[in-house]
Every structure is written in C-alpha cells, then in structure tokens.
PDB file of all heavy atoms in Angstrom:
ATOM      1  N   ASP A   1       7.479 -14.689 -14.619  1.00 97.00           N
ATOM      2  CA  ASP A   1       8.941 -14.686 -14.747  1.00 97.00           C
ATOM      3  C   ASP A   1       9.626 -15.526 -13.674  1.00 97.00           C
ATOM      4  O   ASP A   1      10.853 -15.543 -13.583  1.00 97.00           O
ATOM      5  CB  ASP A   1       9.496 -13.261 -14.733  1.00 97.00           C
ATOM      6  CG  ASP A   1       9.082 -12.473 -13.499  1.00 97.00           C
ATOM      7  OD1 ASP A   1       9.113 -13.036 -12.380  1.00 97.00           O
ATOM      8  OD2 ASP A   1       8.719 -11.292 -13.639  1.00 97.00           O
ATOM      9  N   GLY A   2       8.839 -16.198 -12.834  1.00 98.00           N
ATOM     10  CA  GLY A   2       9.410 -17.124 -11.865  1.00 98.00           C
ATOM     11  C   GLY A   2       9.486 -16.622 -10.446  1.00 98.00           C
ATOM     12  O   GLY A   2       9.645 -17.422  -9.514  1.00 98.00           O
ATOM     13  N   GLN A   3       9.411 -15.304 -10.225  1.00 98.00           N
ATOM     14  CA  GLN A   3       9.441 -14.787  -8.855  1.00 98.00           C
ATOM     15  C   GLN A   3       8.102 -15.044  -8.152  1.00 98.00           C
ATOM     16  O   GLN A   3       7.088 -15.341  -8.783  1.00 98.00           O
ATOM     17  CB  GLN A   3       9.779 -13.297  -8.846  1.00 98.00           C
ATOM     18  CG  GLN A   3      11.268 -13.003  -8.991  1.00 98.00           C
ATOM     19  CD  GLN A   3      11.637 -11.637  -8.429  1.00 98.00           C
ATOM     20  OE1 GLN A   3      10.961 -10.641  -8.656  1.00 98.00           O
ATOM     21  NE2 GLN A   3      12.747 -11.594  -7.687  1.00 98.00           N
ATOM     22  N   TRP A   4       8.147 -14.896  -6.829  1.00 98.00           N
ATOM     23  CA  TRP A   4       6.979 -15.115  -5.987  1.00 98.00           C
ATOM     24  C   TRP A   4       6.701 -13.837  -5.185  1.00 98.00           C
ATOM     25  O   TRP A   4       7.631 -13.149  -4.762  1.00 98.00           O
ATOM     26  CB  TRP A   4       7.223 -16.272  -5.017  1.00 98.00           C
ATOM     27  CG  TRP A   4       7.536 -17.593  -5.658  1.00 98.00           C
ATOM     28  CD1 TRP A   4       8.686 -17.940  -6.310  1.00 98.00           C
ATOM     29  CD2 TRP A   4       6.687 -18.738  -5.698  1.00 98.00           C
ATOM     30  NE1 TRP A   4       8.626 -19.227  -6.764  1.00 98.00           N
ATOM     31  CE2 TRP A   4       7.394 -19.754  -6.395  1.00 98.00           C
ATOM     32  CE3 TRP A   4       5.412 -19.027  -5.220  1.00 98.00           C
ATOM     33  CZ2 TRP A   4       6.867 -21.024  -6.614  1.00 98.00           C
ATOM     34  CZ3 TRP A   4       4.881 -20.288  -5.435  1.00 98.00           C
ATOM     35  CH2 TRP A   4       5.601 -21.268  -6.119  1.00 98.00           C
ATOM     36  N   TYR A   5       5.411 -13.541  -4.971  1.00 98.00           N
ATOM     37  CA  TYR A   5       5.072 -12.403  -4.114  1.00 98.00           C
ATOM     38  C   TYR A   5       4.194 -12.869  -2.953  1.00 98.00           C
ATOM     39  O   TYR A   5       3.478 -13.868  -3.052  1.00 98.00           O
ATOM     40  CB  TYR A   5       4.385 -11.280  -4.899  1.00 98.00           C
ATOM     41  CG  TYR A   5       3.018 -11.605  -5.448  1.00 98.00           C
ATOM     42  CD1 TYR A   5       1.859 -11.449  -4.674  1.00 98.00           C
ATOM     43  CD2 TYR A   5       2.864 -12.048  -6.757  1.00 98.00           C
ATOM     44  CE1 TYR A   5       0.603 -11.733  -5.176  1.00 98.00           C
ATOM     45  CE2 TYR A   5       1.605 -12.332  -7.276  1.00 98.00           C
ATOM     46  CZ  TYR A   5       0.478 -12.169  -6.481  1.00 98.00           C
ATOM     47  OH  TYR A   5      -0.767 -12.463  -6.988  1.00 98.00           O
ATOM     48  N   LEU A   6       4.268 -12.115  -1.863  1.00 98.00           N
ATOM     49  CA  LEU A   6       3.517 -12.425  -0.649  1.00 98.00           C
ATOM     50  C   LEU A   6       2.109 -11.844  -0.725  1.00 98.00           C
ATOM     51  O   LEU A   6       1.932 -10.674  -1.091  1.00 98.00           O
ATOM     52  CB  LEU A   6       4.236 -11.850   0.573  1.00 98.00           C
ATOM     53  CG  LEU A   6       3.546 -12.066   1.928  1.00 98.00           C
ATOM     54  CD1 LEU A   6       3.536 -13.544   2.313  1.00 98.00           C
ATOM     55  CD2 LEU A   6       4.225 -11.229   3.020  1.00 98.00           C
ATOM     56  N   HIS A   7       1.129 -12.630  -0.346  1.00 97.00           N
ATOM     57  CA  HIS A   7      -0.250 -12.144  -0.201  1.00 97.00           C
ATOM     58  C   HIS A   7      -0.838 -12.851   1.023  1.00 97.00           C
ATOM     59  O   HIS A   7      -1.189 -14.012   0.972  1.00 97.00           O
ATOM     60  CB  HIS A   7      -1.081 -12.420  -1.458  1.00 97.00           C
ATOM     61  CG  HIS A   7      -1.215 -13.871  -1.807  1.00 97.00           C
ATOM     62  ND1 HIS A   7      -2.277 -14.642  -1.372  1.00 97.00           N
ATOM     63  CD2 HIS A   7      -0.414 -14.694  -2.517  1.00 97.00           C
ATOM     64  CE1 HIS A   7      -2.119 -15.883  -1.829  1.00 97.00           C
ATOM     65  NE2 HIS A   7      -0.995 -15.942  -2.515  1.00 97.00           N
ATOM     66  N   LEU A   8      -0.937 -12.160   2.116  1.00 96.00           N
ATOM     67  CA  LEU A   8      -1.482 -12.763   3.327  1.00 96.00           C
ATOM     68  C   LEU A   8      -2.986 -12.987   3.225  1.00 96.00           C
ATOM     69  O   LEU A   8      -3.559 -13.695   4.049  1.00 96.00           O
ATOM     70  CB  LEU A   8      -1.158 -11.903   4.548  1.00 96.00           C
ATOM     71  CG  LEU A   8       0.304 -11.923   4.988  1.00 96.00           C
ATOM     72  CD1 LEU A   8       0.508 -10.999   6.178  1.00 96.00           C
ATOM     73  CD2 LEU A   8       0.782 -13.331   5.313  1.00 96.00           C
ATOM     74  N   PHE A   9      -3.600 -12.404   2.209  1.00 95.00           N
ATOM     75  CA  PHE A   9      -5.032 -12.612   1.988  1.00 95.00           C
ATOM     76  C   PHE A   9      -5.211 -13.241   0.603  1.00 95.00           C
ATOM     77  O   PHE A   9      -4.531 -14.203   0.279  1.00 95.00           O
ATOM     78  CB  PHE A   9      -5.784 -11.295   2.189  1.00 95.00           C
ATOM     79  CG  PHE A   9      -5.738 -10.835   3.631  1.00 95.00           C
ATOM     80  CD1 PHE A   9      -4.661 -10.077   4.101  1.00 95.00           C
ATOM     81  CD2 PHE A   9      -6.722 -11.197   4.529  1.00 95.00           C
ATOM     82  CE1 PHE A   9      -4.590  -9.695   5.429  1.00 95.00           C
ATOM     83  CE2 PHE A   9      -6.656 -10.821   5.871  1.00 95.00           C
ATOM     84  CZ  PHE A   9      -5.584 -10.076   6.317  1.00 95.00           C
ATOM     85  N   ASP A  10      -6.081 -12.725  -0.207  1.00 94.00           N
ATOM     86  CA  ASP A  10      -6.318 -13.347  -1.509  1.00 94.00           C
ATOM     87  C   ASP A  10      -5.121 -13.132  -2.439  1.00 94.00           C
ATOM     88  O   ASP A  10      -4.348 -12.178  -2.278  1.00 94.00           O
ATOM     89  CB  ASP A  10      -7.584 -12.750  -2.131  1.00 94.00           C
ATOM     90  CG  ASP A  10      -8.038 -13.495  -3.366  1.00 94.00           C
ATOM     91  OD1 ASP A  10      -8.331 -14.694  -3.253  1.00 94.00           O
ATOM     92  OD2 ASP A  10      -8.079 -12.874  -4.440  1.00 94.00           O
ATOM     93  N   VAL A  11      -4.999 -13.994  -3.443  1.00 96.00           N
ATOM     94  CA  VAL A  11      -3.902 -13.890  -4.404  1.00 96.00           C
ATOM     95  C   VAL A  11      -3.955 -12.571  -5.159  1.00 96.00           C
ATOM     96  O   VAL A  11      -2.939 -12.085  -5.669  1.00 96.00           O
ATOM     97  CB  VAL A  11      -3.939 -15.093  -5.378  1.00 96.00           C
ATOM     98  CG1 VAL A  11      -5.160 -15.026  -6.275  1.00 96.00           C
ATOM     99  CG2 VAL A  11      -2.663 -15.195  -6.192  1.00 96.00           C
ATOM    100  N   THR A  12      -5.125 -11.936  -5.222  1.00 97.00           N
ATOM    101  CA  THR A  12      -5.282 -10.637  -5.885  1.00 97.00           C
ATOM    102  C   THR A  12      -4.985  -9.470  -4.943  1.00 97.00           C
ATOM    103  O   THR A  12      -5.243  -8.316  -5.310  1.00 97.00           O
ATOM    104  CB  THR A  12      -6.707 -10.484  -6.434  1.00 97.00           C
ATOM    105  OG1 THR A  12      -7.641 -10.488  -5.342  1.00 97.00           O
ATOM    106  CG2 THR A  12      -7.047 -11.606  -7.394  1.00 97.00           C
ATOM    107  N   GLN A  13      -4.414  -9.755  -3.761  1.00 98.00           N
ATOM    108  CA  GLN A  13      -4.119  -8.714  -2.774  1.00 98.00           C
ATOM    109  C   GLN A  13      -2.651  -8.795  -2.341  1.00 98.00           C
ATOM    110  O   GLN A  13      -2.328  -9.236  -1.235  1.00 98.00           O
ATOM    111  CB  GLN A  13      -5.043  -8.868  -1.558  1.00 98.00           C
ATOM    112  CG  GLN A  13      -6.517  -8.626  -1.885  1.00 98.00           C
ATOM    113  CD  GLN A  13      -7.438  -9.068  -0.761  1.00 98.00           C
ATOM    114  OE1 GLN A  13      -7.501 -10.247  -0.428  1.00 98.00           O
ATOM    115  NE2 GLN A  13      -8.155  -8.130  -0.182  1.00 98.00           N
ATOM    116  N   PRO A  14      -1.714  -8.373  -3.203  1.00 98.00           N
ATOM    117  CA  PRO A  14      -0.292  -8.430  -2.854  1.00 98.00           C
ATOM    118  C   PRO A  14       0.057  -7.492  -1.699  1.00 98.00           C
ATOM    119  O   PRO A  14      -0.354  -6.328  -1.683  1.00 98.00           O
ATOM    120  CB  PRO A  14       0.402  -7.996  -4.149  1.00 98.00           C
ATOM    121  CG  PRO A  14      -0.618  -7.170  -4.873  1.00 98.00           C
ATOM    122  CD  PRO A  14      -1.941  -7.796  -4.542  1.00 98.00           C
ATOM    123  N   ASP A  15       0.812  -8.013  -0.739  1.00 98.00           N
ATOM    124  CA  ASP A  15       1.221  -7.211   0.416  1.00 98.00           C
ATOM    125  C   ASP A  15       2.247  -6.158   0.004  1.00 98.00           C
ATOM    126  O   ASP A  15       3.180  -6.440  -0.767  1.00 98.00           O
ATOM    127  CB  ASP A  15       1.820  -8.103   1.505  1.00 98.00           C
ATOM    128  CG  ASP A  15       0.759  -8.813   2.306  1.00 98.00           C
ATOM    129  OD1 ASP A  15      -0.137  -9.427   1.697  1.00 98.00           O
ATOM    130  OD2 ASP A  15       0.833  -8.768   3.549  1.00 98.00           O
ATOM    131  N   LEU A  16       2.082  -4.960   0.559  1.00 98.00           N
ATOM    132  CA  LEU A  16       3.035  -3.882   0.334  1.00 98.00           C
ATOM    133  C   LEU A  16       4.270  -4.066   1.221  1.00 98.00           C
ATOM    134  O   LEU A  16       4.207  -4.683   2.288  1.00 98.00           O
ATOM    135  CB  LEU A  16       2.390  -2.527   0.630  1.00 98.00           C
ATOM    136  CG  LEU A  16       1.382  -2.038  -0.419  1.00 98.00           C
ATOM    137  CD1 LEU A  16       0.481  -0.959   0.168  1.00 98.00           C
ATOM    138  CD2 LEU A  16       2.104  -1.523  -1.662  1.00 98.00           C
ATOM    139  N   ASN A  17       5.377  -3.490   0.776  1.00 98.00           N
ATOM    140  CA  ASN A  17       6.624  -3.487   1.535  1.00 98.00           C
ATOM    141  C   ASN A  17       6.717  -2.178   2.310  1.00 98.00           C
ATOM    142  O   ASN A  17       7.108  -1.139   1.756  1.00 98.00           O
ATOM    143  CB  ASN A  17       7.811  -3.639   0.590  1.00 98.00           C
ATOM    144  CG  ASN A  17       9.146  -3.459   1.304  1.00 98.00           C
ATOM    145  OD1 ASN A  17       9.216  -3.550   2.530  1.00 98.00           O
ATOM    146  ND2 ASN A  17      10.193  -3.193   0.539  1.00 98.00           N
ATOM    147  N   TRP A  18       6.373  -2.219   3.589  1.00 98.00           N
ATOM    148  CA  TRP A  18       6.324  -1.001   4.383  1.00 98.00           C
ATOM    149  C   TRP A  18       7.693  -0.526   4.859  1.00 98.00           C
ATOM    150  O   TRP A  18       7.801   0.486   5.545  1.00 98.00           O
ATOM    151  CB  TRP A  18       5.350  -1.168   5.547  1.00 98.00           C
ATOM    152  CG  TRP A  18       3.968  -0.803   5.117  1.00 98.00           C
ATOM    153  CD1 TRP A  18       3.030  -1.603   4.552  1.00 98.00           C
ATOM    154  CD2 TRP A  18       3.386   0.508   5.160  1.00 98.00           C
ATOM    155  NE1 TRP A  18       1.904  -0.890   4.235  1.00 98.00           N
ATOM    156  CE2 TRP A  18       2.093   0.407   4.608  1.00 98.00           C
ATOM    157  CE3 TRP A  18       3.838   1.739   5.601  1.00 98.00           C
ATOM    158  CZ2 TRP A  18       1.247   1.508   4.492  1.00 98.00           C
ATOM    159  CZ3 TRP A  18       2.993   2.837   5.506  1.00 98.00           C
ATOM    160  CH2 TRP A  18       1.718   2.717   4.954  1.00 98.00           C
ATOM    161  N   ASP A  19       8.748  -1.216   4.450  1.00 97.00           N
ATOM    162  CA  ASP A  19      10.104  -0.693   4.670  1.00 97.00           C
ATOM    163  C   ASP A  19      10.511   0.260   3.554  1.00 97.00           C
ATOM    164  O   ASP A  19      11.566   0.891   3.634  1.00 97.00           O
ATOM    165  CB  ASP A  19      11.107  -1.858   4.730  1.00 97.00           C
ATOM    166  CG  ASP A  19      10.932  -2.698   5.980  1.00 97.00           C
ATOM    167  OD1 ASP A  19      10.547  -2.132   7.023  1.00 97.00           O
ATOM    168  OD2 ASP A  19      11.161  -3.920   5.914  1.00 97.00           O
ATOM    169  N   HIS A  20       9.686   0.372   2.521  1.00 98.00           N
ATOM    170  CA  HIS A  20      10.004   1.206   1.365  1.00 98.00           C
ATOM    171  C   HIS A  20       9.501   2.633   1.599  1.00 98.00           C
ATOM    172  O   HIS A  20       8.318   2.849   1.893  1.00 98.00           O
ATOM    173  CB  HIS A  20       9.347   0.625   0.118  1.00 98.00           C
ATOM    174  CG  HIS A  20       9.932   1.121  -1.164  1.00 98.00           C
ATOM    175  ND1 HIS A  20       9.898   2.442  -1.551  1.00 98.00           N
ATOM    176  CD2 HIS A  20      10.592   0.468  -2.170  1.00 98.00           C
ATOM    177  CE1 HIS A  20      10.489   2.587  -2.715  1.00 98.00           C
ATOM    178  NE2 HIS A  20      10.918   1.397  -3.119  1.00 98.00           N
ATOM    179  N   PRO A  21      10.361   3.636   1.449  1.00 98.00           N
ATOM    180  CA  PRO A  21       9.928   5.018   1.723  1.00 98.00           C
ATOM    181  C   PRO A  21       8.813   5.495   0.810  1.00 98.00           C
ATOM    182  O   PRO A  21       7.991   6.322   1.218  1.00 98.00           O
ATOM    183  CB  PRO A  21      11.214   5.843   1.515  1.00 98.00           C
ATOM    184  CG  PRO A  21      12.136   4.958   0.736  1.00 98.00           C
ATOM    185  CD  PRO A  21      11.794   3.557   1.109  1.00 98.00           C
ATOM    186  N   GLU A  22       8.743   4.997  -0.429  1.00 98.00           N
ATOM    187  CA  GLU A  22       7.662   5.423  -1.321  1.00 98.00           C
ATOM    188  C   GLU A  22       6.303   4.961  -0.817  1.00 98.00           C
ATOM    189  O   GLU A  22       5.297   5.662  -0.980  1.00 98.00           O
ATOM    190  CB  GLU A  22       7.903   4.894  -2.739  1.00 98.00           C
ATOM    191  CG  GLU A  22       9.009   5.605  -3.495  1.00 98.00           C
ATOM    192  CD  GLU A  22       9.084   5.137  -4.936  1.00 98.00           C
ATOM    193  OE1 GLU A  22       8.034   4.788  -5.511  1.00 98.00           O
ATOM    194  OE2 GLU A  22      10.196   5.107  -5.486  1.00 98.00           O
ATOM    195  N   VAL A  23       6.262   3.773  -0.216  1.00 98.00           N
ATOM    196  CA  VAL A  23       5.004   3.269   0.332  1.00 98.00           C
ATOM    197  C   VAL A  23       4.547   4.172   1.473  1.00 98.00           C
ATOM    198  O   VAL A  23       3.376   4.578   1.546  1.00 98.00           O
ATOM    199  CB  VAL A  23       5.158   1.811   0.801  1.00 98.00           C
ATOM    200  CG1 VAL A  23       3.901   1.346   1.528  1.00 98.00           C
ATOM    201  CG2 VAL A  23       5.459   0.898  -0.384  1.00 98.00           C
ATOM    202  N   ARG A  24       5.472   4.513   2.355  1.00 98.00           N
ATOM    203  CA  ARG A  24       5.110   5.372   3.497  1.00 98.00           C
ATOM    204  C   ARG A  24       4.653   6.747   3.030  1.00 98.00           C
ATOM    205  O   ARG A  24       3.662   7.287   3.526  1.00 98.00           O
ATOM    206  CB  ARG A  24       6.293   5.469   4.449  1.00 98.00           C
ATOM    207  CG  ARG A  24       6.681   4.129   5.042  1.00 98.00           C
ATOM    208  CD  ARG A  24       7.521   4.264   6.276  1.00 98.00           C
ATOM    209  NE  ARG A  24       7.828   2.946   6.831  1.00 98.00           N
ATOM    210  CZ  ARG A  24       8.099   2.717   8.108  1.00 98.00           C
ATOM    211  NH1 ARG A  24       8.084   3.709   8.968  1.00 98.00           N
ATOM    212  NH2 ARG A  24       8.370   1.502   8.528  1.00 98.00           N
ATOM    213  N   ALA A  25       5.356   7.313   2.060  1.00 98.00           N
ATOM    214  CA  ALA A  25       4.991   8.641   1.568  1.00 98.00           C
ATOM    215  C   ALA A  25       3.640   8.607   0.860  1.00 98.00           C
ATOM    216  O   ALA A  25       2.829   9.536   0.985  1.00 98.00           O
ATOM    217  CB  ALA A  25       6.072   9.151   0.620  1.00 98.00           C
ATOM    218  N   GLU A  26       3.383   7.535   0.118  1.00 98.00           N
ATOM    219  CA  GLU A  26       2.113   7.410  -0.604  1.00 98.00           C
ATOM    220  C   GLU A  26       0.926   7.438   0.352  1.00 98.00           C
ATOM    221  O   GLU A  26      -0.078   8.129   0.106  1.00 98.00           O
ATOM    222  CB  GLU A  26       2.110   6.120  -1.426  1.00 98.00           C
ATOM    223  CG  GLU A  26       0.783   5.765  -2.067  1.00 98.00           C
ATOM    224  CD  GLU A  26       0.392   6.650  -3.229  1.00 98.00           C
ATOM    225  OE1 GLU A  26       1.136   7.621  -3.521  1.00 98.00           O
ATOM    226  OE2 GLU A  26      -0.651   6.395  -3.854  1.00 98.00           O
ATOM    227  N   PHE A  27       1.021   6.724   1.458  1.00 98.00           N
ATOM    228  CA  PHE A  27      -0.128   6.670   2.361  1.00 98.00           C
ATOM    229  C   PHE A  27      -0.275   7.945   3.181  1.00 98.00           C
ATOM    230  O   PHE A  27      -1.406   8.315   3.542  1.00 98.00           O
ATOM    231  CB  PHE A  27      -0.063   5.416   3.224  1.00 98.00           C
ATOM    232  CG  PHE A  27      -0.656   4.227   2.527  1.00 98.00           C
ATOM    233  CD1 PHE A  27       0.113   3.460   1.675  1.00 98.00           C
ATOM    234  CD2 PHE A  27      -2.001   3.917   2.665  1.00 98.00           C
ATOM    235  CE1 PHE A  27      -0.435   2.382   0.989  1.00 98.00           C
ATOM    236  CE2 PHE A  27      -2.563   2.857   1.982  1.00 98.00           C
ATOM    237  CZ  PHE A  27      -1.781   2.078   1.142  1.00 98.00           C
ATOM    238  N   LEU A  28       0.791   8.651   3.430  1.00 98.00           N
ATOM    239  CA  LEU A  28       0.646   9.963   4.056  1.00 98.00           C
ATOM    240  C   LEU A  28      -0.134  10.893   3.131  1.00 98.00           C
ATOM    241  O   LEU A  28      -0.983  11.675   3.577  1.00 98.00           O
ATOM    242  CB  LEU A  28       2.023  10.553   4.373  1.00 98.00           C
ATOM    243  CG  LEU A  28       2.811   9.863   5.485  1.00 98.00           C
ATOM    244  CD1 LEU A  28       4.202  10.484   5.601  1.00 98.00           C
ATOM    245  CD2 LEU A  28       2.078   9.971   6.825  1.00 98.00           C
ATOM    246  N   ASP A  29       0.131  10.781   1.838  1.00 98.00           N
ATOM    247  CA  ASP A  29      -0.583  11.612   0.880  1.00 98.00           C
ATOM    248  C   ASP A  29      -2.047  11.198   0.774  1.00 98.00           C
ATOM    249  O   ASP A  29      -2.940  12.040   0.646  1.00 98.00           O
ATOM    250  CB  ASP A  29       0.093  11.508  -0.494  1.00 98.00           C
ATOM    251  CG  ASP A  29      -0.449  12.537  -1.470  1.00 98.00           C
ATOM    252  OD1 ASP A  29      -0.139  13.725  -1.306  1.00 98.00           O
ATOM    253  OD2 ASP A  29      -1.207  12.140  -2.375  1.00 98.00           O
ATOM    254  N   ILE A  30      -2.301   9.879   0.838  1.00 98.00           N
ATOM    255  CA  ILE A  30      -3.692   9.397   0.801  1.00 98.00           C
ATOM    256  C   ILE A  30      -4.461   9.901   2.026  1.00 98.00           C
ATOM    257  O   ILE A  30      -5.625  10.325   1.916  1.00 98.00           O
ATOM    258  CB  ILE A  30      -3.720   7.859   0.729  1.00 98.00           C
ATOM    259  CG1 ILE A  30      -3.194   7.389  -0.631  1.00 98.00           C
ATOM    260  CG2 ILE A  30      -5.131   7.327   0.964  1.00 98.00           C
ATOM    261  CD1 ILE A  30      -2.897   5.903  -0.691  1.00 98.00           C
ATOM    262  N   LEU A  31      -3.831   9.858   3.189  1.00 98.00           N
ATOM    263  CA  LEU A  31      -4.474  10.406   4.383  1.00 98.00           C
ATOM    264  C   LEU A  31      -4.880  11.862   4.160  1.00 98.00           C
ATOM    265  O   LEU A  31      -6.025  12.257   4.427  1.00 98.00           O
ATOM    266  CB  LEU A  31      -3.524  10.321   5.582  1.00 98.00           C
ATOM    267  CG  LEU A  31      -3.198   8.955   6.168  1.00 98.00           C
ATOM    268  CD1 LEU A  31      -2.124   9.095   7.227  1.00 98.00           C
ATOM    269  CD2 LEU A  31      -4.429   8.285   6.758  1.00 98.00           C
ATOM    270  N   ARG A  32      -3.949  12.655   3.667  1.00 98.00           N
ATOM    271  CA  ARG A  32      -4.232  14.084   3.473  1.00 98.00           C
ATOM    272  C   ARG A  32      -5.312  14.293   2.420  1.00 98.00           C
ATOM    273  O   ARG A  32      -6.135  15.216   2.543  1.00 98.00           O
ATOM    274  CB  ARG A  32      -2.941  14.817   3.088  1.00 98.00           C
ATOM    275  CG  ARG A  32      -1.885  14.832   4.192  1.00 98.00           C
ATOM    276  CD  ARG A  32      -0.705  15.724   3.818  1.00 98.00           C
ATOM    277  NE  ARG A  32       0.316  15.715   4.851  1.00 98.00           N
ATOM    278  CZ  ARG A  32       1.429  14.975   4.812  1.00 98.00           C
ATOM    279  NH1 ARG A  32       1.663  14.197   3.745  1.00 98.00           N
ATOM    280  NH2 ARG A  32       2.302  15.019   5.792  1.00 98.00           N
ATOM    281  N   PHE A  33      -5.326  13.458   1.386  1.00 98.00           N
ATOM    282  CA  PHE A  33      -6.339  13.593   0.335  1.00 98.00           C
ATOM    283  C   PHE A  33      -7.740  13.523   0.939  1.00 98.00           C
ATOM    284  O   PHE A  33      -8.603  14.361   0.627  1.00 98.00           O
ATOM    285  CB  PHE A  33      -6.146  12.481  -0.708  1.00 98.00           C
ATOM    286  CG  PHE A  33      -7.172  12.483  -1.803  1.00 98.00           C
ATOM    287  CD1 PHE A  33      -6.998  13.264  -2.933  1.00 98.00           C
ATOM    288  CD2 PHE A  33      -8.325  11.695  -1.708  1.00 98.00           C
ATOM    289  CE1 PHE A  33      -7.953  13.268  -3.953  1.00 98.00           C
ATOM    290  CE2 PHE A  33      -9.279  11.695  -2.726  1.00 98.00           C
ATOM    291  CZ  PHE A  33      -9.092  12.485  -3.847  1.00 98.00           C
ATOM    292  N   TRP A  34      -7.996  12.535   1.790  1.00 98.00           N
ATOM    293  CA  TRP A  34      -9.338  12.367   2.355  1.00 98.00           C
ATOM    294  C   TRP A  34      -9.592  13.312   3.521  1.00 98.00           C
ATOM    295  O   TRP A  34     -10.725  13.789   3.710  1.00 98.00           O
ATOM    296  CB  TRP A  34      -9.565  10.911   2.748  1.00 98.00           C
ATOM    297  CG  TRP A  34      -9.711  10.053   1.530  1.00 98.00           C
ATOM    298  CD1 TRP A  34      -8.795   9.196   0.994  1.00 98.00           C
ATOM    299  CD2 TRP A  34     -10.845  10.016   0.652  1.00 98.00           C
ATOM    300  NE1 TRP A  34      -9.280   8.624  -0.155  1.00 98.00           N
ATOM    301  CE2 TRP A  34     -10.535   9.102  -0.387  1.00 98.00           C
ATOM    302  CE3 TRP A  34     -12.080  10.652   0.644  1.00 98.00           C
ATOM    303  CZ2 TRP A  34     -11.433   8.820  -1.421  1.00 98.00           C
ATOM    304  CZ3 TRP A  34     -12.980  10.372  -0.385  1.00 98.00           C
ATOM    305  CH2 TRP A  34     -12.652   9.469  -1.407  1.00 98.00           C
ATOM    306  N   LEU A  35      -8.563  13.635   4.288  1.00 98.00           N
ATOM    307  CA  LEU A  35      -8.742  14.623   5.361  1.00 98.00           C
ATOM    308  C   LEU A  35      -9.121  15.979   4.774  1.00 98.00           C
ATOM    309  O   LEU A  35      -9.981  16.689   5.312  1.00 98.00           O
ATOM    310  CB  LEU A  35      -7.463  14.734   6.190  1.00 98.00           C
ATOM    311  CG  LEU A  35      -7.121  13.526   7.061  1.00 98.00           C
ATOM    312  CD1 LEU A  35      -5.700  13.626   7.583  1.00 98.00           C
ATOM    313  CD2 LEU A  35      -8.113  13.387   8.223  1.00 98.00           C
ATOM    314  N   ASP A  36      -8.483  16.341   3.667  1.00 98.00           N
ATOM    315  CA  ASP A  36      -8.800  17.616   3.030  1.00 98.00           C
ATOM    316  C   ASP A  36     -10.215  17.630   2.460  1.00 98.00           C
ATOM    317  O   ASP A  36     -10.812  18.702   2.284  1.00 98.00           O
ATOM    318  CB  ASP A  36      -7.797  17.916   1.912  1.00 98.00           C
ATOM    319  CG  ASP A  36      -6.403  18.246   2.436  1.00 98.00           C
ATOM    320  OD1 ASP A  36      -6.270  18.548   3.637  1.00 98.00           O
ATOM    321  OD2 ASP A  36      -5.442  18.176   1.642  1.00 98.00           O
ATOM    322  N   ARG A  37     -10.780  16.456   2.185  1.00 98.00           N
ATOM    323  CA  ARG A  37     -12.154  16.373   1.698  1.00 98.00           C
ATOM    324  C   ARG A  37     -13.150  16.343   2.858  1.00 98.00           C
ATOM    325  O   ARG A  37     -14.365  16.274   2.630  1.00 98.00           O
ATOM    326  CB  ARG A  37     -12.343  15.156   0.797  1.00 98.00           C
ATOM    327  CG  ARG A  37     -11.444  15.144  -0.415  1.00 98.00           C
ATOM    328  CD  ARG A  37     -11.831  14.077  -1.412  1.00 98.00           C
ATOM    329  NE  ARG A  37     -12.754  14.600  -2.414  1.00 98.00           N
ATOM    330  CZ  ARG A  37     -12.394  15.224  -3.539  1.00 98.00           C
ATOM    331  NH1 ARG A  37     -11.112  15.394  -3.794  1.00 98.00           N
ATOM    332  NH2 ARG A  37     -13.297  15.664  -4.389  1.00 98.00           N
ATOM    333  N   GLY A  38     -12.650  16.307   4.093  1.00 98.00           N
ATOM    334  CA  GLY A  38     -13.531  16.472   5.245  1.00 98.00           C
ATOM    335  C   GLY A  38     -13.814  15.240   6.062  1.00 98.00           C
ATOM    336  O   GLY A  38     -14.624  15.312   7.004  1.00 98.00           O
ATOM    337  N   VAL A  39     -13.194  14.085   5.753  1.00 98.00           N
ATOM    338  CA  VAL A  39     -13.489  12.918   6.579  1.00 98.00           C
ATOM    339  C   VAL A  39     -12.968  13.131   7.990  1.00 98.00           C
ATOM    340  O   VAL A  39     -12.005  13.859   8.225  1.00 98.00           O
ATOM    341  CB  VAL A  39     -12.917  11.612   5.977  1.00 98.00           C
ATOM    342  CG1 VAL A  39     -13.400  11.401   4.561  1.00 98.00           C
ATOM    343  CG2 VAL A  39     -11.407  11.572   6.067  1.00 98.00           C
TER     344      VAL A  39
END
C-alpha cells in the first residue's frame, strides 16, 4: 500500500514500537508465561 516499515535486521524482522502500551503489556505477559513455567 506504499508505506514503509523499519527493520534494523532482516526484512522479515519488523521492529516493534516500544512507545506503544500494548507492546509493553504484551512482553510483561510473555515474561510471566515463561516464569510461571519455571525458567
């Protein structure tokens, strides 16, 4: 559609926007998911 996205690594690795609250909340949940499994 003409827009461009940032990928500091491979084109298949789009950078996340860490100013977005959903991104921050998502990774807090990911941390808890694996911590609860015992890592």
Side-chain angles (χ1 to χ4, degrees):
D1 56 43
Q3 280 203 316
W4 301 71
Y5 66 86
L6 179 67
H7 61 93
L8 288 178
F9 293 86
D10 190 60
V11 68
T12 64
Q13 295 168 297
D15 281 50
L16 286 161
N17 172 18
W18 273 88
D19 291 328
H20 198 297
E22 287 186 32
V23 173
R24 298 198 178 206
E26 172 72 356
F27 275 86
L28 291 175
D29 190 72
I30 291 167
L31 290 173
R32 294 187 181 99
F33 177 87
W34 289 104
L35 290 167
D36 290 344
R37 301 191 92 86
V39 305

